[in-house]
Amino acid sequence: MTTYRVATADYHTGGEPFRIVADPPVAIEGATVADRRMFAIDDAEVDNLRKLLCFEPRGHADMYGGFITPPDDAGAHFGVLFWHKDGFSTACGHGTIALGVWAVQTGRVALDPSGTTAVVVDVPSGRVTTRVHTTGQQITGVDFVSVPSYRLGEQVTVPTSRGDLVVDVGYGGAIYAHLRADSVGLSVTPENYSDLIAIGREVKWALNGTEHARHPVDDRLSGIYGTILFDDLGTDDNGNPHQRNITVFADGQVDRSPCGSGTCSRVAVLASTDQLKRGQTFIHDSIVGTRFHARITEELNVDGRPAVVPEVTGMAYRTGEHRFELDPADDLGTGFVLR
């Protein structure tokens, strides 16, 4: 077992953790971030580092983080590989918001005196931008501009233990199934946490091997990443749609935030049915009461498919830093996960 010593900076975005490894102590090979993700999936040393930082006793079943990498080219400030308890994801909006805050706070990207600093990041699903807003030296909020997002499936029937359910499927850097919580007799509240996870996992795995889980262009982005169960809370006084969601991703992992890439996927599905129009703001709450705001910044066509470019606004806060070690004599090795 390799002896690791790893420094991390930890943040949370809307309650969801994000552990940043600026200098991964392992080689992550590839010409692009997308290539590096495929390398990481198959490389035992990179995967062991993920497990070390995500699994107990150093992490937990809902831990999340990222390894900083070189960008694809000089057009971005850096790249990142996102990871969770089950592997490496294609996108992460809450993590991208945290990275924007981290980059400005650490001086990796110089603070723009205008009050808005652009931080450009290459992620496995493409190039994304955060706009970090400041008053003086104080960061006040972050806008995350995602990759083009679109609906992949409309009113798809999914057989489950609760009967046939109807979902939409949307892409927002990762592919999600969208299910009304009340269609299974639930609401998005903490007391329903276990039941929401159970049906979220069931829907994901029922769809994952079907054509609805296939990315139309890049098969490396295929697969149902998670299930978004949502409550429709109507509209605010200005007619803006308001929803509350729990995103159950990977294999039963729960996003404590409203989920950044999930919000982008949700924006795409709502736009496809005219429930969200350009100029409106989508109010998206999490199961713990945190909130993102999202908008459509651009309408376009991707390979013959109507698409939108979502912008999600949130905020991340530093929670601390760590220096982790792995003693080669530790018989627990990189750790374990209890769910």
Side-chain angles (χ1 to χ4, degrees):
M1 183 69 68
T2 303
T3 301
Y4 285 122
R5 291 182 176 85
V6 190
T8 73
D10 283 30
Y11 285 75
H12 85 85
T13 306
E16 178 71 358
F18 193 71
R19 178 164 286 167
I20 300 170
V21 185
D23 298 299
V26 296
I28 307 176
E29 298 177 11
T32 66
V33 174
D35 291 341
R36 292 186 186 99
R37 175 175 175 263
M38 301 311 295
F39 176 87
I41 289 170
D42 293 328
D43 185 82
E45 195 170 19
V46 180
D47 201 45
N48 278 339
L49 181 60
R50 172 190 67 83
K51 292 174 182 176
L52 178 80
L53 298 172
C54 190
F55 288 7
E56 297 180 53
R58 299 166 189 86
H60 50 81
D62 293 286
M63 192 64 209
Y64 209 108
F67 300 142
I68 302 301
T69 75
D72 291 357
D73 57 51
H77 292 102
F78 53 87
V80 61
L81 288 185
F82 299 118
W83 46 260
H84 49 77
K85 79 174 179 67
D86 295 302
F88 296 89
S89 52
T90 60
C92 176
H94 92 272
T96 302
I97 290 171
L99 287 167
V101 175
W102 168 79
V104 170
Q105 286 182 336
T106 60
R108 193 178 187 107
V109 177
L111 183 70
D112 191 315
S114 70
T116 300
T117 303
V119 179
V120 183
V121 186
D122 284 329
V123 307
S125 56
R127 179 163 288 172
V128 299
T129 299
T130 68
R131 292 193 290 267
V132 182
H133 301 291
T134 52
T135 300
Q137 298 295 311
Q138 181 67 41
I139 297 175
T140 57
V142 180
D143 300 329
F144 154 57
V145 183
S146 184
V147 297
S149 304
Y150 38 84
R151 185 172 64 183
L152 287 170
E154 179 182 5
Q155 298 292 284
V156 177
T157 300
V158 184
T160 74
S161 61
R162 292 174 177 254
D164 286 350
L165 303 179
V166 176
V167 305
D168 288 318
V169 180
Y171 172 75
I175 300 174
Y176 293 90
H178 299 244
L179 175 67
R180 286 186 65 108
D182 61 9
S183 71
V184 289
L186 298 172
S187 60
V188 180
T189 55
E191 58 263 34
N192 292 325
Y193 184 72
S194 296
D195 288 338
L196 291 163
I197 292 173
I199 192 60
R201 293 174 82 178
E202 192 174 352
V203 168
K204 170 191 166 131
W205 293 119
L207 281 175
N208 198 54
T210 71
E211 71 275 11
H212 303 294
R214 186 163 298 281
H215 189 274
V217 176
D218 188 346
D219 199 49
R220 295 175 300 181
L221 303 176
S222 292
I224 301 293
Y225 182 53
T227 303
I228 300 171
L229 296 106
F230 65 92
D231 292 335
D232 190 340
L233 304 179
T235 60
D236 70 0
D237 291 342
N238 296 313
N240 295 307
H242 184 192
Q243 295 183 355
R244 178 174 55 236
N245 91 97
I246 181 173
T247 299
V248 183
F249 66 96
D251 188 20
Q253 195 162 340
V254 169
D255 199 322
R256 274 74 174 140
S257 81
C259 188
S261 58
T263 297
C264 295
S265 176
R266 194 84 199 104
V267 165
V269 169
L270 291 172
S272 71
T273 55
D274 290 327
Q275 295 176 76
L276 180 67
K277 299 180 174 63
R278 200 165 181 180
Q280 290 184 303
T281 296
F282 175 42
I283 305 164
H284 209 202
D285 295 345
S286 75
I287 193 169
V288 300
T290 53
R291 177 172 291 179
F292 288 162
H293 292 93
R295 294 155 295 279
I296 297 168
T297 64
E298 187 178 354
E299 297 171 321
L300 65 165
N301 192 283
V302 175
D303 297 305
R305 190 185 305 270
V308 297
V309 176
E311 176 188 80
V312 179
T313 298
M315 183 58 192
Y317 299 92
R318 186 179 178 94
T319 59
E321 58 183 35
H322 294 88
R323 299 188 69 85
F324 291 105
E325 296 182 2
L326 174 58
D327 186 330
D330 185 347
D331 58 7
L332 283 179
T334 54
F336 58 92
V337 175
L338 288 179
R339 167 60 70 194

